[in-house]
């Protein structure tokens, strides 16, 4: 089954039709989607700029990360759920769009770095031992991560246009 | 000069016309606006939560506020500039849109709440800098700010679904 056929099938399901035809659903789901991305961006500024050594440099990396990573994890869950609803409501606008799949690839990469690599820095250091050393994290990766989150927002908005 | 003539003048500006006529200009302004608001609300939210009593990455509320404020303000300026860009491209339409007008009211409420906080609880912040939970006035300001900014984003998203072209 091709993506187009799948999209057509999805579009015709009663659930997809109900989402589309209830006028308030799409704007309100998009609002929650945007609120979730603000949680990600705020937390990413704090954590990635800390790792880039430009923000809160007097605080241990593990402390800053452990404060924000749980929020990022839950915001990602909300993004996924609301995003899935938006795809179900309008499969034709997303599943066959290059911008949409570019966004998905960027989201997968950024989530992986955040939930695996960034979390490992907390697990590795947050044991309260007196001999904590700063991890040698890449400053360019941290700044790249912020750019990727911005690119994700751009892709999200451009799905509606291209 | 009536409001409508002013709006028409804004609409007729060469820059307004070029935003209307360039297919990429509007989505570009929108994307930048979302990035800007994500930084604005993303950083404000962290401060608001601290004012409500959620522990942050440092104990002192005053230092947390000072640490995030530059990011919030720079992003807010970007949100204003990109917002003005979208507004001028269809000034009459926005001025006639209820969600847009309510959003401007909500932004004013957010501003007044901030001004009130800064002239009251914030003046005595040294007395409660590390106190958990913070005093009632700080918690009230935090809640109000969180709620108001969420309303701003909600109203903003609805503008895009309700804007009717007025010429």
């Amino acid at each position: 089954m091709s993506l187009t056929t799948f999209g057509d099938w999805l579009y015709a399901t009663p659930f997809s039709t109900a989402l589309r035809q209830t006028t308030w659903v799409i704007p309100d789901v998009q609002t929650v989607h945007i609120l979730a991305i603000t949680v990600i961006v705020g937390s990413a500024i704090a954590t990635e700029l800390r790792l880039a050594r430009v923000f809160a440099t007097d605080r241990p990396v593990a402390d800053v990360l452990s404060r924000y990573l749980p929020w990022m994890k839950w915001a990602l869950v909300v993004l996924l759920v609301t995003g899935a609803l938006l795809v179900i409501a309008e499969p034709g606008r997303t599943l066959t769009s290059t911008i949409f799949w570019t966004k998905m690839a960027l989201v997968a990469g950024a989530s992986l770095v955040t939930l695996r690599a960034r979390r490992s820095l907390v697990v590795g250091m947050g044991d309260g031992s007196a001999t904590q050393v700063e991890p040698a994290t890449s400053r360019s990766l941290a700044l790249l991560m912020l750019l990727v989150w911005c690119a994700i927002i751009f892709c999200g908005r451009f799905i509606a246009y291209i | 000069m009536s409001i409508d003539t002013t709006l028409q003048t804004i609409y007729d500006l060469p820059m307004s016309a070029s935003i209307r006529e360039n297919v990429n200009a509007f989505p570009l302004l929108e994307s930048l606006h979302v990035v800007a608001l994500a930084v604005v609300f993303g950083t404000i939210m962290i401060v608001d939560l601290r004012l409500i009593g959620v522990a942050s990455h440092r104990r002192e509320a005053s230092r947390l506020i000072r640490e995030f404020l530059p990011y919030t303000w720079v992003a807010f300026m970007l949100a204003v500039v990109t917002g003005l860009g979208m507004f001028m491209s269809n000034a009459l339409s926005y001025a006639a849109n209820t969600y847009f007008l309510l959003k401007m009211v909500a932004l004013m409420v957010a501003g007044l709440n901030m001004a009130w906080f800064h002239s009251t609880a914030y003046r005595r912040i040294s007395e409660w800098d590390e106190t958990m939970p913070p005093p009632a006035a700080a918690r009230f300001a935090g809640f109000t700010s969180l709620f108001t900014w969420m309303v701003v984003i909600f109203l903003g998203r609805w503008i895009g679904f309700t804007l009717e072209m007025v010429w």
Side-chain angles (χ1 to χ4, degrees), chain A residues 3-4 6-8 10-11 16 20 86-97 159 162:
Chain A
L3 268 178
T4 319
F6 175 70
D8 290 345
L10 193 58
Y11 185 88
S16 173
R20 249 188 337 273
L86 293 169
V87 171
I88 294 169
E90 299 179 295
R93 150 164 151 172
T94 43
L95 294 179
T96 49
S97 150
I159 290 171
I162 294 174

Side-chain angles (χ1 to χ4, degrees), chain A residues 91-158:
Chain A
R93 150 164 151 172
T94 43
L95 294 179
T96 49
S97 150
T98 315
I99 299 251
F100 171 77
W101 289 109
T102 310
K103 180 182 173 183
M104 290 308 102
L106 290 172
V107 169
S111 306
L112 210 65
V113 172
T114 304
L115 299 178
R116 299 291 298 260
R118 293 331 192 196
R119 184 136 73 190
S120 71
L121 296 173
V122 183
V123 179
M125 305 179 56
D127 55 1
S129 59
T131 52
Q132 282 190 351
V133 268
E134 285 290 289
T137 48
S138 155
R139 183 174 271 177
S140 356
L141 176 64
L143 298 177
L144 178 70
M145 284 291 285
L146 289 177
L147 273 180
V148 169
W149 288 119
C150 289
I152 288 168
I153 291 177
F154 269 75
C155 289
R157 200 71 288 261
F158 270 85

Side-chain angles (χ1 to χ4, degrees), chain B:
Chain B
M1 195 151 74
S2 80
I3 287 191
D4 275 0
T5 359
T6 315
L7 292 169
Q8 187 64 51
T9 313
I10 295 171
Y11 182 92
D12 290 333
L13 290 172
M15 200 164 133
S16 310
S18 51
I19 295 171
R20 269 195 306 278
E21 284 152 20
N22 181 334
V23 280
N24 285 318
F26 202 84
L28 219 53
L29 284 173
E30 277 188 310
S31 302
L32 283 170
H33 197 68
V34 179
V35 169
L37 80 85
V39 177
V40 170
F41 189 51
T43 53
I44 283 184
M45 193 185 330
I46 296 168
V47 171
D48 287 343
L49 286 170
R50 174 62 182 80
L51 293 181
I52 290 169
V54 180
S56 199
H57 67 266
R58 62 171 75 255
R59 300 179 67 87
E60 313 90 332
S62 60
R63 284 194 63 188
L64 190 77
I65 292 172
R66 280 200 306 273
E67 205 168 26
F68 277 116
L69 216 54
Y71 298 95
T72 314
W73 274 116
V74 170
F76 184 73
M77 290 303 149
L78 179 63
V80 170
V81 170
T82 51
L84 280 174
M86 292 188 278
F87 174 81
M88 63 197 288
S89 75
N90 272 302
L92 286 157
S93 307
Y94 282 101
N97 181 281
T98 312
Y99 288 93
F100 173 80
L101 298 171
L102 287 174
K103 180 180 172 178
M104 295 305 111
V105 174
L107 281 170
M108 268 190 282
V109 172
L112 286 174
N113 176 60
M114 191 176 66
W116 173 76
F117 170 71
H118 275 267
S119 60
T120 54
Y122 189 73
R123 292 198 176 196
R124 299 182 301 274
I125 199 164
S126 56
E127 296 165 26
W128 54 272
D129 218 5
E130 297 186 22
T131 313
M132 281 290 196
R139 278 181 284 145
F140 179 80
F143 265 120
T144 311
S145 170
L146 267 185
F147 179 75
T148 317
W149 283 107
M150 283 190 207
V151 170
V152 168
I153 291 174
F154 165 82
L155 293 169
R157 191 62 291 241
W158 270 90
I159 297 171
F161 287 87
T162 54
L163 196 68
E164 285 172 29
M165 290 306 155
V166 180
W167 283 279

